[in-house]
Amino acid sequence: MGEGGGKKLFPPYLPRNPKDPCTKAYKAYVAAGGHSAYATTPYARIMSSYIVCGGHLNAPSQKTAEELAMKSCQSTRGHYKVTTGGSCEIAASK
């Protein structure tokens, strides 16, 4: 877990629509100055035509940012009752 530039665990799939909530969340993550994280369900064309994501910006630590991003993603996933596409995973954190 390196500090500084952050780590990308896998490249998140971002919808081409700049108004999509996941595109907005990832851009906010990139722009954030503090400890932040972005979580998403892995995009699999065969399994699903959508992704679910969550993020948390400017947390007191990288670990906290990751935990809260996961909670955000899981909450969204539960809200939409998503059954395909996999579970939430941290895509990037800093």
Side-chain angles (χ1 to χ4, degrees):
M1 286 226 211
E3 296 294 324
K7 62 177 181 173
K8 278 201 178 143
L9 302 172
F10 63 90
Y13 170 81
L14 297 175
R16 289 197 183 109
N17 178 356
K19 293 184 175 165
D20 184 277
C22 289
T23 301
K24 283 182 172 179
Y26 187 73
K27 286 184 176 181
Y29 158 78
V30 170
H35 293 293
S36 303
Y38 177 80
T40 183
T41 52
Y43 180 75
R45 278 189 204 136
I46 297 167
M47 293 186 64
S48 63
S49 58
Y50 53 87
I51 57 170
V52 175
C53 64
H56 192 81
L57 308 178
N58 302 317
S61 71
Q62 185 177 17
K63 184 176 189 287
T64 301
E66 289 181 6
E67 288 169 358
L68 294 173
M70 282 293 288
K71 279 186 183 174
S72 172
C73 183
Q74 289 164 345
S75 170
T76 302
R77 190 172 184 268
H79 175 76
Y80 289 107
K81 297 177 175 59
V82 177
T83 56
T84 61
S87 59
C88 295
E89 298 174 32
I90 296 293
S93 71
K94 58 184 174 182

Coordinates of all heavy atoms in Angstrom, one line a residue:
M1 N 0.8 -1.2 0.0 CA 0.0 0.0 0.0 C 0.9 1.2 0.0 O 1.4 1.6 1.0 CB -0.9 0.0 1.3 CG -2.0 -1.0 1.2 SD -3.4 -0.1 1.7 CE -4.3 -1.4 2.5
G2 N 1.1 1.8 -1.1 CA 2.0 3.0 -1.2 C 1.2 4.3 -1.0 O 0.1 4.4 -1.4
E3 N 1.8 5.2 -0.4 CA 1.2 6.5 -0.3 C 1.6 7.3 -1.5 O 2.4 6.9 -2.4 CB 1.8 7.2 1.0 CG 1.5 6.6 2.2 CD 0.0 6.6 2.6 OE1 -0.6 7.6 2.3 OE2 -0.5 5.6 3.1
G4 N 1.0 8.5 -1.6 CA 1.4 9.4 -2.8 C 0.5 9.2 -3.9 O -0.7 9.6 -3.8
G5 N 0.9 8.7 -5.0 CA 0.1 8.7 -6.3 C -1.0 7.7 -6.2 O -1.9 7.8 -7.1
G6 N -1.1 6.9 -5.2 CA -2.2 6.0 -5.1 C -1.9 4.7 -5.8 O -0.8 4.5 -6.4
K7 N -2.8 3.8 -5.7 CA -2.7 2.5 -6.4 C -3.9 2.1 -7.2 O -5.0 2.5 -6.7 CB -2.4 1.4 -5.3 CG -3.5 1.2 -4.3 CD -3.2 0.0 -3.4 CE -4.4 -0.1 -2.4 NZ -4.3 -1.3 -1.6
K8 N -3.7 1.5 -8.3 CA -4.8 1.0 -9.1 C -4.8 -0.5 -9.0 O -3.8 -1.1 -9.4 CB -4.7 1.5 -10.5 CG -5.2 2.9 -10.7 CD -5.6 3.1 -12.2 CE -6.1 4.5 -12.3 NZ -5.7 5.2 -13.5
L9 N -5.8 -1.1 -8.5 CA -5.9 -2.5 -8.4 C -6.4 -3.2 -9.7 O -6.0 -4.3 -10.1 CB -6.7 -2.9 -7.2 CG -6.2 -2.3 -5.9 CD1 -7.2 -2.5 -4.8 CD2 -4.9 -2.9 -5.6
F10 N -7.3 -2.5 -10.4 CA -7.7 -2.9 -11.7 C -8.2 -1.7 -12.4 O -8.7 -0.8 -11.7 CB -8.7 -4.1 -11.7 CG -10.0 -3.8 -11.0 CD1 -11.0 -3.3 -11.8 CD2 -10.1 -4.1 -9.7 CE1 -12.3 -3.0 -11.1 CE2 -11.4 -3.8 -9.1 CZ -12.4 -3.3 -9.8
P11 N -8.1 -1.6 -13.7 CA -8.7 -0.4 -14.4 C -10.2 -0.4 -14.4 O -10.8 -1.3 -14.9 CB -8.1 -0.5 -15.8 CG -7.8 -1.9 -16.0 CD -7.5 -2.5 -14.6
P12 N -10.8 0.6 -13.7 CA -12.3 0.6 -13.7 C -12.9 0.9 -15.0 O -12.3 1.7 -15.8 CB -12.6 1.7 -12.7 CG -11.4 2.6 -12.7 CD -10.2 1.7 -13.0
Y13 N -13.9 0.2 -15.3 CA -14.7 0.6 -16.6 C -15.5 1.8 -16.3 O -16.2 1.9 -15.3 CB -15.6 -0.6 -17.0 CG -16.6 -0.2 -18.1 CD1 -16.1 -0.2 -19.4 CD2 -17.9 0.2 -17.8 CE1 -17.0 0.2 -20.4 CE2 -18.7 0.6 -18.8 CZ -18.3 0.6 -20.1 OH -19.1 1.0 -21.1
L14 N -15.4 2.8 -17.1 CA -16.1 4.0 -17.0 C -17.1 4.2 -18.2 O -16.6 4.2 -19.3 CB -15.2 5.2 -16.8 CG -14.3 5.2 -15.6 CD1 -13.3 6.4 -15.7 CD2 -15.0 5.2 -14.3
P15 N -18.4 4.4 -17.9 CA -19.3 4.7 -19.0 C -18.8 5.9 -19.7 O -18.3 6.9 -19.1 CB -20.6 4.9 -18.3 CG -20.5 4.2 -17.0 CD -19.0 4.3 -16.6
R16 N -19.1 6.0 -21.0 CA -18.7 7.1 -21.8 C -19.5 8.4 -21.5 O -19.0 9.5 -21.8 CB -18.9 6.8 -23.3 CG -17.8 5.8 -23.8 CD -17.7 5.8 -25.3 NE -16.8 4.7 -25.7 CZ -17.1 3.6 -26.2 NH1 -18.4 3.3 -26.5 NH2 -16.2 2.7 -26.6
N17 N -20.6 8.2 -20.9 CA -21.5 9.4 -20.6 C -20.8 10.1 -19.4 O -20.7 9.6 -18.3 CB -22.9 8.9 -20.2 CG -23.8 10.0 -19.8 OD1 -23.4 11.2 -19.7 ND2 -25.0 9.7 -19.5
P18 N -20.4 11.4 -19.6 CA -19.8 12.1 -18.5 C -20.7 12.4 -17.3 O -20.3 12.7 -16.2 CB -19.3 13.4 -19.1 CG -20.1 13.6 -20.4 CD -20.5 12.2 -20.8
K19 N -22.0 12.3 -17.5 CA -23.0 12.5 -16.5 C -23.3 11.3 -15.7 O -24.0 11.3 -14.7 CB -24.3 13.1 -17.0 CG -24.0 14.5 -17.6 CD -25.3 15.1 -18.1 CE -25.0 16.6 -18.5 NZ -26.0 17.2 -19.2
D20 N -22.8 10.1 -16.1 CA -23.0 8.9 -15.4 C -22.4 9.0 -14.0 O -21.3 9.5 -13.8 CB -22.3 7.7 -16.1 CG -22.7 6.4 -15.5 OD1 -22.0 6.0 -14.5 OD2 -23.6 5.7 -15.9
P21 N -23.2 8.5 -13.0 CA -22.7 8.6 -11.6 C -21.3 8.0 -11.3 O -20.5 8.5 -10.6 CB -23.8 7.9 -10.8 CG -25.0 7.8 -11.6 CD -24.5 7.9 -13.0
C22 N -21.0 6.9 -12.0 CA -19.7 6.2 -11.8 C -18.6 7.0 -12.5 O -17.5 7.1 -11.9 CB -19.7 4.8 -12.3 SG -20.7 3.7 -11.3
T23 N -18.8 7.6 -13.6 CA -17.8 8.5 -14.2 C -17.6 9.7 -13.3 O -16.4 10.1 -13.1 CB -18.3 8.9 -15.6 OG1 -18.5 7.8 -16.4 CG2 -17.3 9.8 -16.3
K24 N -18.6 10.3 -12.8 CA -18.5 11.4 -11.9 C -17.7 11.1 -10.6 O -16.9 11.8 -10.2 CB -19.9 12.0 -11.5 CG -20.6 12.8 -12.6 CD -21.9 13.3 -12.0 CE -22.6 14.3 -12.9 NZ -23.8 14.7 -12.3
A25 N -18.1 9.9 -10.1 CA -17.4 9.5 -8.8 C -15.9 9.2 -9.1 O -15.1 9.6 -8.2 CB -18.1 8.2 -8.3
Y26 N -15.6 8.6 -10.2 CA -14.1 8.4 -10.5 C -13.4 9.7 -10.7 O -12.3 9.8 -10.2 CB -14.0 7.4 -11.6 CG -12.5 7.0 -11.8 CD1 -11.9 6.1 -10.9 CD2 -11.7 7.5 -12.8 CE1 -10.6 5.8 -11.0 CE2 -10.4 7.2 -12.9 CZ -9.8 6.3 -12.0 OH -8.5 5.9 -12.2
K27 N -14.0 10.6 -11.4 CA -13.3 11.9 -11.7 C -13.1 12.6 -10.3 O -12.1 13.3 -10.1 CB -14.1 12.7 -12.7 CG -14.0 12.2 -14.1 CD -14.7 13.1 -15.1 CE -14.4 12.6 -16.5 NZ -15.1 13.4 -17.5
A28 N -14.1 12.5 -9.4 CA -14.0 13.2 -8.1 C -12.9 12.5 -7.3 O -12.1 13.2 -6.7 CB -15.3 13.1 -7.4
Y29 N -12.8 11.2 -7.4 CA -11.7 10.5 -6.8 C -10.3 11.0 -7.3 O -9.4 11.3 -6.5 CB -11.8 9.0 -7.0 CG -10.5 8.2 -6.8 CD1 -10.0 8.0 -5.5 CD2 -9.7 7.9 -7.9 CE1 -8.7 7.3 -5.4 CE2 -8.5 7.2 -7.7 CZ -8.0 7.0 -6.5 OH -6.8 6.4 -6.3
V30 N -10.2 11.1 -8.6 CA -8.9 11.5 -9.2 C -8.6 12.9 -8.7 O -7.4 13.3 -8.4 CB -9.0 11.4 -10.7 CG1 -7.8 12.1 -11.4 CG2 -9.1 10.0 -11.2
A31 N -9.6 13.8 -8.6 CA -9.4 15.2 -8.3 C -9.1 15.4 -6.8 O -8.6 16.5 -6.4 CB -10.5 16.0 -8.7
A32 N -9.6 14.5 -5.9 CA -9.5 14.7 -4.5 C -8.0 14.7 -4.0 O -7.2 14.0 -4.5 CB -10.2 13.5 -3.8
G33 N -7.7 15.6 -3.1 CA -6.4 15.7 -2.6 C -6.0 14.8 -1.5 O -4.8 14.5 -1.3
G34 N -7.0 14.4 -0.7 CA -6.7 13.5 0.5 C -6.9 12.1 0.2 O -6.9 11.6 -1.0
H35 N -6.9 11.3 1.3 CA -7.0 9.8 1.1 C -8.4 9.5 0.6 O -9.4 9.9 1.2 CB -6.9 9.1 2.5 CG -5.5 9.2 3.1 ND1 -4.4 8.5 2.5 CD2 -5.0 9.9 4.1 CE1 -3.3 8.8 3.2 NE2 -3.7 9.6 4.2
S36 N -8.5 8.9 -0.5 CA -9.7 8.6 -1.2 C -9.7 7.2 -1.9 O -8.6 6.7 -2.1 CB -10.0 9.7 -2.3 OG -10.0 11.0 -1.7
A37 N -10.9 6.7 -2.1 CA -10.9 5.4 -2.8 C -12.2 5.3 -3.7 O -13.1 6.0 -3.5 CB -11.0 4.3 -1.7
Y38 N -12.1 4.4 -4.7 CA -13.1 4.2 -5.6 C -13.4 2.7 -5.7 O -12.4 2.0 -6.0 CB -12.8 4.8 -7.0 CG -13.8 4.5 -8.1 CD1 -14.9 5.3 -8.2 CD2 -13.6 3.5 -9.0 CE1 -15.8 5.1 -9.2 CE2 -14.5 3.3 -10.0 CZ -15.6 4.1 -10.1 OH -16.6 3.9 -11.1
A39 N -14.6 2.3 -5.5 CA -14.9 0.9 -5.6 C -16.0 0.7 -6.7 O -16.8 1.5 -6.9 CB -15.5 0.4 -4.2
T40 N -15.9 -0.5 -7.3 CA -16.8 -0.8 -8.4 C -17.0 -2.3 -8.6 O -16.2 -3.0 -8.1 CB -16.4 -0.1 -9.7 OG1 -17.3 -0.4 -10.7 CG2 -15.0 -0.7 -10.2
T41 N -18.1 -2.6 -9.2 CA -18.3 -4.0 -9.6 C -17.5 -4.2 -10.9 O -17.5 -3.3 -11.7 CB -19.7 -4.4 -9.8 OG1 -20.3 -3.5 -10.7 CG2 -20.5 -4.4 -8.5
P42 N -16.8 -5.3 -11.1 CA -16.1 -5.5 -12.3 C -17.1 -5.6 -13.5 O -18.1 -6.1 -13.4 CB -15.4 -6.9 -12.1 CG -15.4 -7.1 -10.7 CD -16.6 -6.4 -10.1
Y43 N -16.7 -4.9 -14.6 CA -17.6 -4.9 -15.7 C -17.4 -6.1 -16.6 O -16.3 -6.4 -17.0 CB -17.3 -3.6 -16.6 CG -18.2 -3.5 -17.8 CD1 -19.5 -3.1 -17.6 CD2 -17.7 -3.8 -19.0 CE1 -20.3 -3.0 -18.8 CE2 -18.5 -3.7 -20.2 CZ -19.8 -3.3 -20.0 OH -20.7 -3.2 -21.1
A44 N -18.5 -6.8 -16.8 CA -18.4 -8.0 -17.6 C -19.5 -7.9 -18.6 O -20.7 -8.0 -18.3 CB -18.5 -9.3 -16.8
R45 N -19.2 -7.7 -19.9 CA -20.2 -7.5 -20.9 C -21.2 -8.7 -21.0 O -22.3 -8.5 -21.3 CB -19.5 -7.4 -22.3 CG -19.0 -6.0 -22.5 CD -18.6 -5.8 -23.9 NE -17.6 -4.7 -23.9 CZ -16.5 -4.7 -24.5 NH1 -16.1 -5.7 -25.2 NH2 -15.7 -3.7 -24.4
I46 N -20.7 -9.9 -20.8 CA -21.5 -11.0 -21.0 C -22.6 -11.1 -19.8 O -23.7 -11.4 -20.0 CB -20.7 -12.3 -20.9 CG1 -19.8 -12.3 -22.2 CG2 -21.6 -13.6 -21.0 CD1 -18.7 -13.4 -22.1
M47 N -22.1 -10.7 -18.6 CA -23.0 -10.8 -17.5 C -23.9 -9.7 -17.2 O -25.0 -9.8 -16.7 CB -22.2 -11.1 -16.2 CG -21.4 -12.4 -16.2 SD -20.6 -12.7 -14.7 CE -21.9 -12.8 -13.6
S48 N -23.5 -8.5 -17.5 CA -24.3 -7.3 -17.2 C -24.0 -6.1 -18.1 O -22.9 -6.0 -18.7 CB -24.0 -6.9 -15.7 OG -22.7 -6.5 -15.6
S49 N -25.0 -5.3 -18.2 CA -24.9 -4.1 -19.1 C -24.7 -2.9 -18.2 O -24.8 -1.8 -18.7 CB -26.1 -4.0 -20.0 OG -27.2 -3.9 -19.2
Y50 N -24.4 -3.0 -16.9 CA -24.3 -1.9 -16.1 C -23.2 -2.2 -15.0 O -22.9 -3.4 -14.8 CB -25.6 -1.6 -15.4 CG -26.2 -2.8 -14.7 CD1 -25.9 -3.1 -13.4 CD2 -27.1 -3.6 -15.4 CE1 -26.4 -4.2 -12.8 CE2 -27.6 -4.7 -14.8 CZ -27.3 -5.0 -13.5 OH -27.8 -6.2 -12.9
I51 N -22.8 -1.2 -14.3 CA -21.8 -1.3 -13.2 C -22.4 -0.6 -12.0 O -23.2 0.3 -12.2 CB -20.4 -0.8 -13.6 CG1 -20.4 0.6 -14.0 CG2 -19.8 -1.7 -14.6 CD1 -19.0 1.2 -14.1
V52 N -22.0 -0.9 -10.9 CA -22.3 -0.3 -9.7 C -21.0 0.2 -9.0 O -20.0 -0.5 -9.1 CB -23.1 -1.2 -8.7 CG1 -23.3 -0.5 -7.4 CG2 -24.3 -1.7 -9.3
C53 N -21.0 1.4 -8.5 CA -19.8 1.9 -7.9 C -20.1 2.7 -6.6 O -21.2 2.9 -6.3 CB -19.1 2.9 -8.9 SG -20.0 4.3 -9.3
G54 N -19.0 3.1 -6.0 CA -19.1 3.9 -4.8 C -17.7 4.5 -4.5 O -16.7 4.0 -5.0
G55 N -17.7 5.6 -3.8 CA -16.4 6.2 -3.5 C -16.5 6.9 -2.2 O -17.6 7.2 -1.6
H56 N -15.3 7.3 -1.7 CA -15.2 8.1 -0.5 C -14.0 9.0 -0.7 O -12.9 8.5 -1.0 CB -15.1 7.3 0.8 CG -15.3 8.1 2.0 ND1 -16.6 8.5 2.4 CD2 -14.4 8.7 2.8 CE1 -16.4 9.3 3.5 NE2 -15.1 9.4 3.7
L57 N -14.2 10.3 -0.4 CA -13.1 11.3 -0.6 C -12.6 11.8 0.7 O -13.4 12.1 1.6 CB -13.6 12.4 -1.5 CG -14.3 12.0 -2.8 CD1 -14.8 13.2 -3.6 CD2 -13.4 11.2 -3.7
N58 N -11.3 12.1 0.7 CA -10.7 12.9 1.8 C -11.0 12.3 3.2 O -11.4 13.0 4.1 CB -11.1 14.3 1.7 CG -10.7 14.9 0.4 OD1 -9.7 14.7 -0.1 ND2 -11.6 15.7 -0.2
A59 N -10.7 11.0 3.3 CA -10.9 10.3 4.6 C -9.6 10.5 5.4 O -8.6 10.9 4.9 CB -11.1 8.8 4.3
P60 N -9.7 10.2 6.7 CA -8.5 10.4 7.5 C -7.3 9.4 7.2 O -6.2 9.7 7.5 CB -9.0 10.1 9.0 CG -10.3 9.6 8.9 CD -10.8 9.8 7.5
S61 N -7.6 8.3 6.5 CA -6.6 7.4 6.1 C -7.0 6.6 4.9 O -8.2 6.6 4.5 CB -6.3 6.3 7.3 OG -7.4 5.4 7.4
Q62 N -6.0 6.0 4.2 CA -6.3 5.2 3.0 C -7.2 4.1 3.3 O -8.2 3.8 2.6 CB -5.0 4.8 2.4 CG -5.2 4.0 1.0 CD -3.9 3.7 0.4 OE1 -2.9 3.6 1.0 NE2 -3.9 3.3 -0.9
K63 N -6.9 3.4 4.5 CA -7.7 2.2 4.9 C -9.2 2.6 5.1 O -10.1 2.0 4.7 CB -7.1 1.7 6.2 CG -7.8 0.4 6.7 CD -7.1 -0.2 7.9 CE -7.6 -1.5 8.3 NZ -8.9 -1.5 8.9
T64 N -9.4 3.8 5.8 CA -10.8 4.3 6.0 C -11.5 4.6 4.7 O -12.6 4.3 4.5 CB -10.8 5.5 6.9 OG1 -10.1 5.1 8.2 CG2 -12.2 6.0 7.2
A65 N -10.8 5.2 3.8 CA -11.3 5.6 2.5 C -11.8 4.3 1.8 O -12.9 4.3 1.2 CB -10.3 6.4 1.7
E66 N -11.0 3.3 1.8 CA -11.3 2.0 1.1 C -12.5 1.4 1.8 O -13.4 0.9 1.1 CB -10.1 1.1 1.2 CG -9.0 1.5 0.3 CD -7.8 0.5 0.3 OE1 -7.9 -0.6 0.9 OE2 -6.8 0.9 -0.4
E67 N -12.6 1.4 3.1 CA -13.7 0.8 3.8 C -15.0 1.5 3.5 O -16.0 0.9 3.2 CB -13.5 0.8 5.3 CG -12.4 -0.2 5.8 CD -12.0 0.0 7.2 OE1 -12.5 0.9 7.9 OE2 -11.2 -0.8 7.7
L68 N -15.0 2.8 3.5 CA -16.2 3.6 3.2 C -16.6 3.6 1.7 O -17.8 3.6 1.4 CB -16.0 5.0 3.7 CG -15.8 5.2 5.2 CD1 -15.5 6.6 5.6 CD2 -17.1 4.7 5.9
A69 N -15.6 3.5 0.8 CA -15.9 3.3 -0.6 C -16.6 2.0 -0.8 O -17.6 1.9 -1.6 CB -14.7 3.4 -1.4
M70 N -16.1 0.9 -0.1 CA -16.8 -0.4 -0.3 C -18.2 -0.4 0.3 O -19.1 -0.9 -0.3 CB -16.0 -1.5 0.5 CG -14.7 -1.9 -0.2 SD -15.1 -2.9 -1.7 CE -15.7 -4.4 -1.0
K71 N -18.4 0.3 1.4 CA -19.7 0.4 2.0 C -20.7 1.1 1.0 O -21.8 0.7 0.9 CB -19.7 1.1 3.3 CG -19.3 0.2 4.5 CD -19.4 1.0 5.8 CE -18.9 0.1 6.9 NZ -18.9 0.8 8.2
S72 N -20.2 2.2 0.4 CA -21.0 3.0 -0.5 C -21.4 2.1 -1.7 O -22.5 2.1 -2.1 CB -20.1 4.2 -1.0 OG -20.8 4.9 -2.0
C73 N -20.4 1.4 -2.3 CA -20.7 0.5 -3.4 C -21.7 -0.6 -3.0 O -22.6 -0.9 -3.8 CB -19.4 -0.1 -3.9 SG -19.5 -1.1 -5.4
Q74 N -21.5 -1.2 -1.9 CA -22.3 -2.3 -1.5 C -23.8 -1.8 -1.2 O -24.7 -2.5 -1.5 CB -21.8 -3.0 -0.2 CG -20.5 -3.8 -0.6 CD -19.7 -4.2 0.7 OE1 -19.9 -3.7 1.7 NE2 -18.8 -5.1 0.5
S75 N -23.9 -0.6 -0.6 CA -25.2 0.0 -0.4 C -25.9 0.2 -1.7 O -27.1 -0.1 -1.8 CB -25.0 1.3 0.4 OG -26.2 2.0 0.5
T76 N -25.2 0.8 -2.7 CA -25.8 1.0 -4.0 C -26.2 -0.3 -4.6 O -27.3 -0.4 -5.2 CB -24.8 1.8 -4.9 OG1 -24.4 3.0 -4.3 CG2 -25.4 2.1 -6.3
R77 N -25.4 -1.3 -4.5 CA -25.6 -2.6 -5.1 C -26.9 -3.2 -4.5 O -27.7 -3.8 -5.1 CB -24.4 -3.5 -4.9 CG -24.5 -4.8 -5.6 CD -23.1 -5.5 -5.5 NE -23.2 -6.8 -6.3 CZ -23.5 -7.9 -5.8 NH1 -23.9 -8.1 -4.6 NH2 -23.5 -9.0 -6.6
G78 N -27.0 -3.1 -3.1 CA -28.2 -3.6 -2.4 C -29.4 -2.8 -2.8 O -30.5 -3.4 -2.9
H79 N -29.3 -1.5 -2.9 CA -30.5 -0.7 -3.3 C -31.1 -1.1 -4.6 O -32.3 -1.1 -4.8 CB -30.0 0.8 -3.3 CG -31.1 1.7 -3.8 ND1 -32.1 2.1 -3.0 CD2 -31.3 2.3 -5.0 CE1 -32.9 2.9 -3.7 NE2 -32.5 3.1 -4.9
Y80 N -30.2 -1.4 -5.6 CA -30.7 -1.8 -6.9 C -30.9 -3.3 -7.1 O -31.3 -3.7 -8.1 CB -29.7 -1.3 -8.0 CG -29.8 0.2 -8.2 CD1 -28.7 1.0 -7.7 CD2 -30.9 0.8 -8.7 CE1 -28.8 2.4 -7.8 CE2 -30.9 2.2 -8.8 CZ -29.9 3.0 -8.4 OH -29.9 4.3 -8.5
K81 N -30.7 -4.0 -6.0 CA -30.9 -5.5 -6.0 C -30.2 -6.1 -7.1 O -30.7 -7.0 -7.8 CB -32.4 -5.8 -6.0 CG -33.1 -5.3 -4.7 CD -34.5 -5.6 -4.8 CE -35.2 -5.2 -3.5 NZ -35.1 -3.8 -3.1
V82 N -28.9 -5.8 -7.3 CA -28.1 -6.3 -8.4 C -27.7 -7.8 -8.1 O -27.2 -8.0 -7.0 CB -26.8 -5.5 -8.6 CG1 -25.9 -6.1 -9.7 CG2 -27.2 -4.0 -9.0
T83 N -27.9 -8.6 -9.0 CA -27.6 -10.0 -8.8 C -26.5 -10.5 -9.7 O -25.9 -11.6 -9.5 CB -28.8 -11.0 -9.0 OG1 -29.3 -10.7 -10.3 CG2 -29.9 -10.7 -7.9
T84 N -26.2 -9.7 -10.7 CA -25.1 -10.1 -11.7 C -24.0 -9.1 -11.6 O -24.1 -8.0 -11.1 CB -25.6 -10.3 -13.1 OG1 -26.1 -9.0 -13.5 CG2 -26.7 -11.3 -13.2
G85 N -22.9 -9.4 -12.2 CA -21.8 -8.5 -12.4 C -20.7 -8.6 -11.3 O -19.8 -7.8 -11.4
G86 N -20.9 -9.4 -10.3 CA -19.9 -9.6 -9.3 C -20.1 -8.7 -8.1 O -21.0 -7.8 -8.1
S87 N -19.2 -8.8 -7.2 CA -19.3 -8.0 -6.0 C -18.4 -6.7 -6.1 O -17.6 -6.7 -7.0 CB -18.9 -8.8 -4.7 OG -17.6 -9.3 -4.9
C88 N -18.6 -5.8 -5.2 CA -17.8 -4.6 -5.2 C -16.3 -4.9 -4.8 O -16.1 -5.8 -4.0 CB -18.4 -3.6 -4.2 SG -20.0 -3.0 -4.5
E89 N -15.4 -4.2 -5.5 CA -14.0 -4.3 -5.2 C -13.4 -2.9 -5.3 O -13.9 -2.1 -6.1 CB -13.3 -5.2 -6.3 CG -13.8 -6.6 -6.3 CD -13.2 -7.4 -7.4 OE1 -12.0 -7.1 -7.8 OE2 -13.9 -8.3 -8.0
I90 N -12.3 -2.7 -4.5 CA -11.6 -1.4 -4.6 C -10.9 -1.4 -6.0 O -10.1 -2.3 -6.2 CB -10.7 -1.2 -3.5 CG1 -11.4 -1.2 -2.1 CG2 -9.8 0.0 -3.7 CD1 -12.3 0.0 -2.0
A91 N -11.1 -0.4 -6.8 CA -10.4 -0.3 -8.1 C -9.2 0.6 -7.9 O -8.2 0.3 -8.5 CB -11.4 0.3 -9.1
A92 N -9.3 1.6 -7.1 CA -8.2 2.5 -6.9 C -8.3 3.2 -5.6 O -9.4 3.4 -5.1 CB -8.2 3.6 -8.0
S93 N -7.2 3.5 -5.0 CA -7.2 4.2 -3.7 C -5.9 4.9 -3.5 O -4.8 4.6 -4.1 CB -7.4 3.3 -2.5 OG -6.3 2.4 -2.3
K94 N -5.9 6.0 -2.7 CA -4.7 6.8 -2.4 C -4.8 7.3 -1.0 O -5.8 7.4 -0.4 CB -4.6 7.9 -3.5 CG -5.8 8.9 -3.5 CD -5.6 9.9 -4.6 CE -6.8 10.7 -4.7 NZ -6.7 11.7 -5.8

